[in-house]
Amino acid sequence: MDSRKHPDEAESGRRFRPDIEGLRAVAIVAVLLCHAGVPFLAGGYVGVDVFFVISGFLITRLLVGELDRTGTISLRGFYARRAKRLLPLSAVLLASVGVLSMILLSPLRNTEVAGDIIASALYVANWHFAAQSVDYFAQGLEPSPVLHLWSLAIEEQFYVVWPGLMLAVTWFRRRRGRSVRPALWVALAAILVGSLVYGIVLTNERPPFAYFSTFARAWELGLGAALALVGTVVLPRRAAAVLGWAGVAAIVYASFAFNGETMFPGTAALVPTLGAAALILSGTALAAGKGGVTGMRAGAGWVLSLAPVRYVGRISYSWYLWHWPFIVFAAAIWGPRLSVAAGLAAVAASWVPTQLTHTLIEDPVRRAPALRRLPNRAIALGLACTLVAVGVGIVLRDSQPTVRLAKLSDVPGAAALVDQPVPQETATALRPNPLRARADRSRGFYSGCLVGIEGTNSNKCLFGDPNGDRTLILFGDSHAMQYFPALEELAEIHHWRLIELTKAECPPEELEVRSMVEDREYSQCDIWRQSALERIEKGDEKVTVVMSGDTVYVPYGPNGEELAGKEAAEAMEAGYLRTLNRIEAAGPRTVVIRDTPASSQDVPSCVSEDIEHLKRCAFTRPREWDREYDVRAAKAHPSTHLIDLDAEICPGEVCRAVIGNALVYRDKSHLTATFARTLEPMIEADFREAGLL
């Protein structure tokens, strides 16, 4: 058996635990296979939770050992160890991601990855990605090559707080001549209970945000810390062995039984974390007895201590860092839907830089005698690595090619179709700049008129002529909001009032739907819709309601079951008709704008990559019966006028990326405000045809 101690454990004076190194192997293998797309290991993401428990245990054991030996905790020494352990390798990883992004990704994606790199270098990646997880307009974007670094950010944020809290408790208690351990237990119990309860509540309400939240995850590290505070555990050897195998069973069960639909972390996270805790506790009990952890061949600790298993555990940090960028870049080369074989090949290929950087960087730096003797050097090295990584992000962001912004007078948009029978092949200037396309939204959006996921009431949101004798009401989700620029111009031309009633991922049809962002039932949508309809019902025949919405929602059936396919489309069509009938009964006229066709690729990203070959960013207009229920409902309702703008967006059945120097889409399915504004003459012609002018 390799008797070399982990550097942290050597400095703590504690005995090396080979079983924990083996447990790291279990965790990393689960994560690797899950991310590679192995279908029966869809729950392998729980390996991260196992890492949290291990980290909480080892770091707290180190701190408690130092406290027992010296009576205090050296924060300088602690952060020096963290710096030399984590930052050199992560800086190399982030620099490599920056270089590979420059080579393999589009300029738009590079600007986004640059922000991800900076957030990762500053260890706030989890909050950075949490904000994206609840941003409706960030849905559908390709995953970041540094997305996996959210977990390291949580660990480091915990370590910013926990050692200082332990030191403060020690100082406070000893000033009063009282025992320190009980106070540490109280502080840890507060973290454990508070974080666990918060995590369960947040998972039920906002699962994506909870997944990245430090406050919802801190209890997992706290659980490991509690195991360290327990100290020596006395258990019969057979009981300890049984406990160890029960822990293995819990982790394996979670890896096989959980999937993307599991409400996680929440109570589900108790399964793998308690499993990891059981394994650690089992090893602690065996380590205190004759023969140590490896002395009982029937125990899980003996298996985990085998040389091949420990090898995988030893390189687990490096492999965790490298595997995910390889998967993301493989998808950039071979297409977003990697096969399992391709995913496994990417993971296997990532072993090469894993082994190289582990041997040449990770081990030498953390074992360097000079850095151990002089903590300030280790801290300085860590700061230098952080600055290098931040610099990589800044350079990546600032080195992207610029696209000249076209003057408004040179952007006819949809009006250019008369002179553009074939898709525009190239452009010397565009509006908006593809690198800034995400921000090209309407005045209504920036006025706060798109209600967020949690909101249930719209603001006043009055535009146009407030004294106008006719009123337009724009009603629906973000796919309705995208037409605001055209309707605002129409209202200003005819001196009408314009009211915007829109809510993120909340369609106008009266039917319960699933929130795609929050991945749960969406009661706030039902409340908001009811409030909006009551506001609409106060109108009369001088009010015209313009409805539109995305058509990819998952509706619920009468018994709360999720509907799909034809059944879902029929339910959504019926819901659309209920809304139209309700508005008609109140007096206002109704107009339905057909949902926009969606691209399979991010259009601005494609355009930013090669403005000289715009045709490759175009796509054939999809024909999907189950996504055309809005058209069927509008045609079935005699007093409703249907506006179909597909001929302007997809002339000749080809949906264009650029029309009249206007970038058409700002993502895969939303129109830019610039292009939408050029649709005003077409919408006005439809209003005239329907007798609404």
Side-chain angles (χ1 to χ4, degrees):
M1 182 182 74
D2 185 353
S3 60
R4 290 181 304 164
K5 286 188 175 183
H6 184 286
D8 286 346
E9 299 201 347
E11 294 180 35
S12 71
R14 296 301 177 102
R15 293 179 61 188
F16 176 65
R17 289 281 299 274
D19 59 319
I20 291 180
E21 193 164 68
L23 181 55
R24 281 196 175 106
V26 173
I28 190 60
V29 168
V31 171
L32 296 180
L33 295 181
C34 171
H35 287 170
V38 176
F40 53 82
L41 273 171
Y45 53 78
V46 301
V48 172
D49 303 85
V50 174
F51 278 126
F52 283 157
V53 177
I54 293 172
S55 295
F57 172 75
L58 290 178
I59 293 302
T60 304
R61 191 169 77 142
L62 184 153
L63 294 171
V64 169
E66 183 180 2
L67 196 59
D68 290 342
R69 292 193 317 274
T70 67
T72 187
I73 294 171
S74 170
L75 294 182
R76 184 181 64 166
F78 174 80
Y79 292 119
R81 289 189 293 271
R82 292 297 88 206
K84 67 182 181 180
R85 171 75 174 91
L86 300 175
L87 299 185
L89 189 54
S90 66
V92 171
L93 181 279
L94 292 174
S96 301
V97 166
V99 172
L100 289 171
S101 295
M102 183 78 74
I103 296 170
L104 298 173
L105 303 183
S106 71
L108 175 55
R109 281 203 69 193
N110 280 335
T111 61
E112 294 166 344
V113 170
D116 301 340
I117 289 175
I118 293 171
S120 298
L122 297 175
Y123 283 99
V124 293
N126 63 313
W127 298 117
H128 176 74
F129 293 122
Q132 292 183 7
S133 75
V134 295
D135 179 2
Y136 174 64
F137 296 110
Q139 306 306 303
L141 300 183
E142 299 299 330
S144 168
V146 294
L147 175 62
H148 61 315
L149 298 186
W150 69 269
S151 61
L152 299 181
I154 286 180
E155 285 194 21
E156 293 314 302
Q157 290 161 29
F158 183 81
Y159 297 145
V160 166
V161 175
W162 181 230
L165 180 59
M166 289 182 67
L167 186 59
V169 168
T170 300
W171 176 83
F172 183 78
R173 296 290 288 184
R174 284 183 174 165
R175 278 195 64 185
R176 285 157 177 75
R178 297 177 181 176
S179 176
V180 173
R181 286 295 178 102
L184 288 177
W185 273 113
V186 170
L188 185 56
I191 294 173
L192 271 168
V193 175
S195 173
L196 177 58
V197 171
Y198 176 77
I200 292 171
V201 172
L202 191 63
T203 300
N204 290 331
E205 295 179 353
R206 305 172 72 191
F209 192 85
Y211 194 86
F212 294 108
S213 171
T214 303
F215 303 117
R217 295 283 197 159
W219 68 269
E220 300 182 32
L221 290 130
L223 178 60
L227 296 173
L229 279 180
V230 166
T232 303
V233 177
V234 178
L235 286 175
R237 291 176 64 77
R238 287 186 179 179
V242 170
L243 182 64
W245 285 115
V248 171
I251 296 170
V252 171
Y253 168 78
S255 299
F256 281 85
F258 293 178
N259 55 42
E261 297 297 314
T262 304
M263 293 291 283
F264 203 88
T267 54
L270 287 166
V271 178
T273 52
L274 289 177
L279 264 167
I280 292 172
L281 200 61
S282 167
T284 300
L286 290 172
K290 185 179 179 181
V293 175
T294 60
M296 189 173 189
R297 297 209 167 194
W302 181 82
V303 176
L304 294 175
S305 300
L306 294 174
V309 181
R310 285 187 53 205
Y311 165 74
V312 175
R314 194 176 305 125
I315 64 171
S316 60
Y317 174 59
S318 297
W319 213 347
Y320 183 79
L321 289 185
W322 286 107
H323 85 283
W324 181 251
F326 267 66
I327 291 174
V328 171
F329 290 130
I333 296 170
W334 296 324
R337 298 185 181 228
L338 287 181
S339 65
V340 175
L344 289 172
V347 167
S350 69
W351 173 84
V352 176
T354 293
Q355 182 59 49
L356 286 173
T357 54
H358 174 77
T359 304
L360 300 177
I361 300 173
E362 183 183 7
D363 256 359
V365 171
R366 69 182 184 180
R367 296 181 186 278
L371 296 178
R372 186 179 304 178
R373 290 194 310 270
L374 301 169
N376 286 347
R377 286 190 180 180
I379 292 173
L381 174 64
L383 289 174
C385 290
T386 297
L387 291 175
V388 167
V390 170
V392 167
I394 293 173
V395 170
L396 180 63
R397 182 194 63 196
D398 293 345
S399 62
Q400 298 313 303
T402 57
V403 177
R404 191 163 64 85
L405 187 66
K407 297 178 181 178
L408 278 173
S409 57
D410 295 332
V411 185
L417 287 172
V418 176
D419 303 315
Q420 281 188 356
V422 296
Q424 185 172 339
E425 179 66 31
T426 186
T428 57
L430 289 177
R431 197 175 191 96
N433 184 325
L435 301 184
R436 309 286 183 268
R438 309 279 191 242
D440 195 61
R441 302 171 181 173
S442 67
R443 187 159 72 101
F445 173 82
Y446 289 110
S447 298
C449 295
L450 182 72
V451 178
I453 301 297
E454 299 299 321
T456 55
N457 285 290
S458 288
N459 298 324
K460 187 177 180 180
C461 291
L462 176 61
F463 303 90
D465 185 349
N467 300 313
D469 62 347
R470 297 191 64 85
T471 301
L472 282 179
I473 298 179
L474 179 59
F475 175 46
D477 58 14
S478 62
H479 280 222
M481 182 199 70
Q482 66 187 348
Y483 295 109
F484 177 90
L487 294 181
E488 182 182 32
E489 192 160 314
L490 180 65
E492 289 175 350
I493 291 171
H494 295 281
H495 302 286
W496 294 343
R497 294 189 300 165
L498 171 62
I499 297 172
E500 180 177 352
L501 301 177
T502 57
K503 177 173 169 62
E505 66 166 357
C506 185
E509 53 265 38
E510 286 197 290
L511 188 69
E512 293 182 3
V513 297
R514 184 180 183 84
S515 168
M516 294 177 284
V517 173
E518 297 288 357
D519 194 25
R520 58 168 172 80
E521 57 80 28
Y522 196 12
S523 59
Q524 293 94 334
C525 175
D526 304 321
I527 297 170
W528 173 85
R529 188 190 299 112
Q530 177 64 26
S531 173
L533 284 171
E534 289 175 357
R535 190 168 165 182
I536 289 170
E537 286 173 327
K538 295 177 182 178
D540 54 24
E541 68 279 356
K542 291 187 177 181
V543 174
T544 301
V545 180
V546 180
M547 290 171 46
S548 191
D550 198 351
T551 54
V552 297
Y553 292 100
V554 175
Y556 291 103
N559 299 316
E561 73 279 16
E562 292 184 6
L563 304 179
K566 182 179 180 181
E567 192 176 15
E570 290 174 345
M572 296 294 274
E573 182 179 342
Y576 227 104
L577 285 169
R578 281 194 293 272
T579 298
L580 293 172
N581 288 331
R582 181 171 172 178
I583 295 173
E584 180 187 40
R589 297 284 301 274
T590 51
V591 171
V592 170
I593 301 182
R594 181 179 193 159
D595 187 24
T596 46
S599 173
S600 61
Q601 67 176 332
D602 185 62
V603 177
S605 182
C606 178
V607 172
S608 74
E609 193 164 14
D610 194 353
I611 198 172
E612 299 297 323
H613 300 89
L614 295 174
K615 282 178 67 174
R616 72 180 187 84
C617 302
F619 60 97
T620 303
R621 180 191 180 282
R623 292 283 184 181
E624 301 169 284
W625 180 89
D626 57 344
R627 288 200 57 189
E628 297 177 352
Y629 58 79
D630 54 344
V631 175
R632 293 192 296 273
K635 289 181 176 179
H637 198 266
S639 63
T640 294
H641 181 72
L642 174 68
I643 296 180
D644 187 345
L645 296 170
D646 277 11
E648 283 70 38
I649 301 170
C650 309
E653 297 295 299
V654 176
C655 303
R656 303 183 184 182
V658 173
I659 298 176
N661 293 331
L663 182 63
V664 178
Y665 287 88
R666 59 182 175 80
D667 49 30
K668 293 181 179 180
S669 64
H670 293 91
L671 302 178
T672 63
T674 297
F675 179 76
R677 188 174 292 107
T678 69
L679 294 172
E680 186 278 328
M682 296 76 178
I683 293 177
E684 184 173 13
D686 269 283
F687 267 64
R688 197 176 303 280
E689 179 185 333
L692 296 172
L693 285 178

